Amino acid sequence: MTEKTTPLFSFGIVADPQYADAEPRPDMGRYYAESPKKLGEAIDAFNREELAFVVTLGDIIDRGFENFDAILGVYEQLRHPSVMLPGNHDFAVAAEHLSAIHSRLGMASPWHDFTIGEIRFVVLDGNEVSLFAPPPGDPRRTLAQERLKHLQEVGAINAQDWNASLSDEQFEWLRTVLQNADAAGEQVVILCHYPVYPNNAHNMWDAPRIVDLLDVHPSVVAWFSGHNHEGNYGVLGNTHFVNFKGMVDTPDQNTFAIADVFADRIVIRGFGREDDRVLEHLRHNAALL
């Protein structure tokens, strides 16, 4: 097999298991207690493949710190490294547990990056400035109130209290990472719970400044997110924006994906309700013309 048909590496993707030991909400399409079974099926599929890691794009639980035990226990069957990042529902816990969420998910840092070959993965904490993740009294909650109020005043569709934003510190860290990736000739895949494009009610509050930042950094080939359970897709400049569908939705239909990384593209193999996609690296292909 040639490099055209053999990926450099592959990784698994899960979005929004959102487990809770709770009755379903058919009106919202949420079947919380079915997620361990669905996740187990996904892990069985992942374990049949050679994967570099499996990422879960947030909302591991729906609510209640005690619910982490059951859903994280399912991951013990995974034979690959697990990369987790929290979503808004992961902070729907008692205040005394807020500071423990990242460590409960095995995260050494709320935001960080790592490389596999010439691909740099950037893990963002999209919850940092929000009405739910910082502890009570934290100035980031006050900043969140100000940001949400401004969006409400201008009638933004993402002016929702279940959305969030980056701190200026994290935003500047992201800028530096992308500058370094550009200089090194790396390709960047960003992993975040929240989408930023196309325009949608689920997008981060500061999506415009993030999209503007990505647009001037040719290294960024993809932004992978969850949060919007219906899923979404768009492309802007060099970047593909893929919003993966929520596992918690539907009583018995699963959804997850495997991404095969090639030098000139990322091929997404969707399982269940998730779509297949081919994400061509636009900068790479333009250079070949």
Side-chain angles (χ1 to χ4, degrees):
M1 299 179 73
T2 69
E3 64 178 13
K4 291 289 187 181
T5 57
T6 303
L8 302 173
F9 63 91
S10 302
F11 62 97
I13 304 164
V14 172
D16 300 82
Q18 210 167 312
Y19 169 73
D21 182 12
E23 292 297 314
R25 289 287 306 273
D27 56 316
M28 299 178 64
R30 306 289 192 264
Y31 293 81
Y32 312 106
E34 302 303 319
S35 287
K37 178 182 177 182
K38 293 178 184 177
L39 181 61
E41 293 172 353
I43 287 175
D44 286 345
F46 295 149
N47 284 345
R48 289 193 291 269
E49 307 236 2
E50 295 303 320
L51 304 179
F53 63 92
V54 172
V55 62
T56 304
L57 294 166
D59 281 2
I60 290 86
I61 62 168
D62 180 72
R63 58 193 182 274
F65 193 78
E66 68 281 0
N67 283 314
F68 279 118
D69 291 341
I71 194 69
L72 292 180
V74 181
Y75 284 91
E76 294 177 3
Q77 304 303 315
L78 182 66
R79 70 180 184 92
H80 308 296
S82 175
V83 175
M84 292 192 178
L85 53 98
N88 53 306
H89 280 276
D90 295 311
F91 293 94
V93 299
E96 62 264 27
H97 295 305
L98 288 174
S99 62
I101 299 303
H102 295 97
S103 60
R104 189 69 183 88
L105 299 182
M107 302 177 67
S109 175
W111 64 85
H112 58 95
D113 60 325
F114 61 94
T115 57
I116 300 178
E118 295 184 356
I119 308 295
R120 182 168 297 276
F121 291 90
V122 178
V123 178
L124 295 181
D125 182 9
N127 309 282
E128 189 186 8
V129 177
S130 67
L131 299 177
F132 43 81
D138 190 294
R140 290 172 297 180
R141 287 208 178 207
T142 302
L143 178 57
Q145 292 171 344
E146 294 170 355
R147 289 182 175 180
L148 178 57
K149 181 180 178 182
H150 170 73
L151 291 173
Q152 290 171 334
E153 289 173 347
V154 299
I157 63 171
N158 63 331
Q160 310 291 340
D161 60 8
W162 31 261
N163 289 333
S165 55
L166 303 181
S167 66
D168 291 343
E169 177 187 2
Q170 187 178 176
F171 182 81
E172 290 305 320
W173 172 84
L174 175 61
R175 186 198 305 276
T176 299
V177 170
L178 299 185
Q179 289 172 341
N180 293 339
D182 289 347
E186 296 173 335
Q187 295 172 339
V188 174
V189 175
I190 298 177
L191 308 171
C192 183
H193 179 62
Y194 301 89
V196 292
Y197 184 86
N199 194 30
N200 185 273
H202 294 79
N203 286 7
M204 294 184 70
W205 292 336
D206 54 345
R209 71 167 177 170
I210 294 172
V211 170
D212 287 346
L213 176 65
L214 304 186
D215 191 48
V216 298
H217 289 287
S219 55
V220 185
V221 297
W223 177 290
F224 288 173
S225 65
H227 193 48
N228 177 5
H229 293 195
E230 294 181 358
N232 207 349
Y233 171 77
V235 61
L236 186 66
N238 296 306
T239 306
H240 297 269
F241 297 84
V242 185
N243 188 156
F244 292 88
K245 296 176 181 177
M247 181 176 278
V248 70
D249 288 15
T250 81
D252 53 10
Q253 292 180 291
N254 212 339
T255 182
F256 57 95
I258 291 175
D260 297 320
V261 179
F262 297 82
D264 62 346
R265 67 196 186 281
I266 298 175
V267 176
I268 295 175
R269 289 183 277 143
F271 293 75
R273 294 182 292 112
E274 190 56 63
D275 297 319
D276 294 336
R277 302 184 190 276
V278 178
L279 314 180
E280 295 184 348
H281 294 174
L282 304 179
R283 179 186 59 154
H284 176 93
N285 292 333
L288 298 178
L289 297 178

